[in-house]
Amino acid sequence: MKADLFIHSATQLCVVPHHDGGPQRGRRLGDLGIIEDGALACADGRVVAVGRTETLRADWWAPVEIDASERVVCPGFVDPHTHVVWAGDRADEFVQRIGGATYQEIMASGGGIMSTVRTTRAAPLAQLVAESRPRLERMLAHGTTTVEVKSGYGLGTTSELKMLQAIAALDATLPLTIVPTFLGAHAVPTEFAHDPAGYVDLVVEEMLPAAADSGIPRFCDIFCDVGAFTLEQSRRVLTAARALGMIPKIHADEFESLGGTALAVELGAISADHLVRTTATEIELLGHADTVAVALPATPFGLGHRDYTPASDILAAGGILALATDCNPGTAWCESMPFVIALACRTMHLTPAQALVAATLNSAYAVGLGEEVGSLEVDRAADVIILDLPDVNHLGYRFGANPVQRVIKGGRIIL
Ligand code: NIG
Ligand code: FE
């Protein structure tokens, strides 16, 4: 039979199988379904066959072949939490933090998210797109083939819509799949500093309906934490979003625990993200929920903090664990999922195999695409990366250089 593309002779081909038709839960995380001397045939953008090279050769041929000998082949990374669309930078705050200022002190004095809000509001749409594009291109070069991108640096109806348009424009012109999320409740903007409730009213009454009308965002997120939004405000915003057809997500327990994770489970949120300060009771809840726990180790690393998401506890409870970069100009300007994997292995004690599943199949579930991407089973999207590594344990073991040699998106060779 004829395929479009045939990848063969991989030292290890990681299929990353579904478990019971879903993600890999709890301690069963880390099943790569490795095929040695592996091959993969793609046609019409999808995986049509996967197996050992000699077996597949008997049945398939393709006009384009890639020899993956001495390489690892796996699904493209799915990065399920980023703020990669913004204008400007905050290198000055990074230097202040080195000098001892905390993220929250900088935020309270009008810097932090508000600093990026000012530059993003001032940037015309074309500039916002132009500044964000190279970051997404570098993500692609580091193996990310699907990426979630949040709004949240506009914090006003017009500027939030501009961010959503930038996200849509980037999705239309880059080979990655971009999943848009509305994050109008990322911070209380300065002009509402004395009336946070008034800002929540604006989000619910004006911004959310406008975001829904744009037809762009699939998800709605909120930053539920000290210095951002309370639990009750989060409940109100996410409930209103759900009524408009957006699926809830939440930034919870990054700095303090306000009950955001329990709220996520109660509302059937697709994911709860950060989870550094999550209580034992809420970890138990995650163990029985379909809400994906998204860990963002580049964030504590970027802030120079010591505490990370308690991955072992989440896995012991039976939860679904995923990894993301959180790429943003404040806490973690990180475009590399391989670096996030290296961090997760060291700080969260994941094995490279567990981290790889958390960065592919499980992270696909965190953006509602678990049936589509994140696995190389037959019929899934042919989003494939080839790593210049002798075996999968070298992913995580090595860090700082890019191990990704080839990137194939929807069966098309991109890099
Ligand atoms: O996920 N926590 C809130 N949002 C980002 C930081 C955004 C910023 O500082 O610009 C985060 O860490
Ligand atoms: Fe974030």
Side-chain angles (χ1 to χ4, degrees):
M1 283 172 286
K2 180 177 177 292
D4 303 328
L5 173 66
F6 191 73
I7 302 168
H8 63 88
S9 312
T11 307
Q12 294 183 326
L13 189 148
C14 306
V15 175
V16 191
H18 287 72
H19 281 178
D20 312 315
Q24 296 188 8
R25 291 197 80 103
R27 291 199 172 115
R28 291 177 70 206
L29 178 69
D31 174 10
L32 293 174
I34 290 178
I35 300 172
E36 283 168 14
D37 192 16
L40 182 90
C42 320
D44 299 324
R46 316 202 73 82
V47 177
V48 289
V50 58
R52 288 185 64 94
T53 300
E54 58 170 47
T55 318
L56 252 67
R57 272 230 184 277
D59 291 332
W60 294 91
W61 74 276
V64 183
E65 291 201 358
I66 297 178
D67 181 348
S69 49
E70 289 166 58
R71 307 272 190 270
V72 172
V73 172
C74 66
F77 299 121
V78 178
D79 185 349
H81 180 139
T82 86
H83 308 255
V84 73
V85 169
W86 77 78
D89 69 70
R90 279 157 48 204
D92 54 341
E93 292 181 4
F94 170 60
V95 177
Q96 286 173 37
R97 285 205 308 275
I98 293 171
T102 68
Y103 179 77
Q104 278 159 318
E105 281 163 8
I106 294 170
M107 179 149 101
S109 67
I113 292 172
M114 267 324 286
S115 162
T116 301
V117 168
R118 287 187 288 274
T119 44
T120 303
R121 282 178 180 172
L125 176 62
Q127 181 192 335
L128 198 51
V129 170
E131 285 195 37
S132 306
R133 185 186 305 277
R135 293 190 277 269
L136 285 155
E137 287 170 344
R138 287 189 294 267
M139 286 179 161
L140 183 67
H142 285 81
T144 298
T145 47
T146 298
V147 58
E148 186 255 18
V149 183
K150 302 173 196 297
S151 70
Y153 293 119
L155 309 187
T157 309
T158 324
S159 47
E160 283 293 308
L161 283 175
K162 178 177 70 180
M163 284 202 73
L164 291 173
Q165 282 155 6
I167 295 169
L170 289 158
D171 182 40
T173 51
L174 282 167
L176 309 85
T177 299
I178 299 184
V179 181
T181 295
F182 174 71
L183 178 58
H186 192 194
V188 177
T190 317
E191 59 277 19
F192 281 92
H194 299 290
D195 182 20
Y199 184 65
V200 175
D201 288 341
L202 183 74
V203 170
V204 169
E205 287 157 21
E206 190 179 298
M207 291 163 69
L208 269 175
D213 273 352
S214 76
I216 299 169
R218 183 144 180 226
F219 301 104
C220 176
D221 195 347
I222 186 164
F223 186 12
C224 176
D225 217 309
V226 168
F229 296 90
T230 66
L231 185 66
E232 278 320 305
Q233 290 168 337
S234 303
R235 180 191 302 281
R236 188 172 162 218
V237 169
L238 294 180
T239 306
R242 211 173 48 169
L244 290 165
M246 282 178 248
I247 301 164
K249 278 182 165 275
I250 194 165
H251 280 67
D253 316 326
E254 178 178 0
F255 298 107
E256 292 190 32
S257 164
L258 303 185
T261 300
L263 178 68
V265 172
E266 177 195 321
L267 295 179
I270 196 138
S271 72
D273 305 34
H274 284 291
L275 311 185
V276 176
R277 304 267 167 234
T278 311
T279 60
T281 323
E282 288 173 297
I283 289 175
E284 277 309 311
L285 290 176
L286 286 172
H288 305 280
D290 290 331
T291 301
V292 179
V294 179
L296 310 162
T299 305
F301 175 80
L303 289 168
H305 289 177
R306 290 195 180 175
D307 293 331
Y308 288 81
T309 304
S312 323
D313 296 345
I314 293 171
L315 295 181
I320 307 164
L321 185 75
L323 288 169
T325 60
D326 195 20
C327 184
N328 76 78
T331 59
W333 188 328
C334 174
E335 294 149 353
S336 166
M337 287 296 278
F339 183 65
V340 167
I341 288 170
L343 280 177
C345 293
R346 286 163 185 76
T347 64
M348 293 162 48
H349 306 286
L350 297 185
T351 64
Q354 290 177 319
L356 180 53
V357 177
T360 53
L361 180 70
N362 283 12
S363 50
Y365 276 93
V367 291
L369 294 176
E371 317 274 287
E372 186 62 20
V373 299
S375 165
L376 295 179
E377 290 168 328
V378 169
D379 285 340
R380 312 289 167 183
D383 292 2
V384 188
I385 58 177
I386 303 180
L387 307 173
D388 184 11
L389 299 174
D391 72 64
V392 88
N393 287 340
H394 281 248
L395 180 67
Y397 167 47
R398 303 189 196 184
F399 59 94
N402 184 8
V404 177
Q405 193 202 23
R406 309 295 300 260
V407 179
I408 292 120
K409 174 70 189 173
R412 207 158 64 85
I413 301 172
I414 307 295
L415 295 168

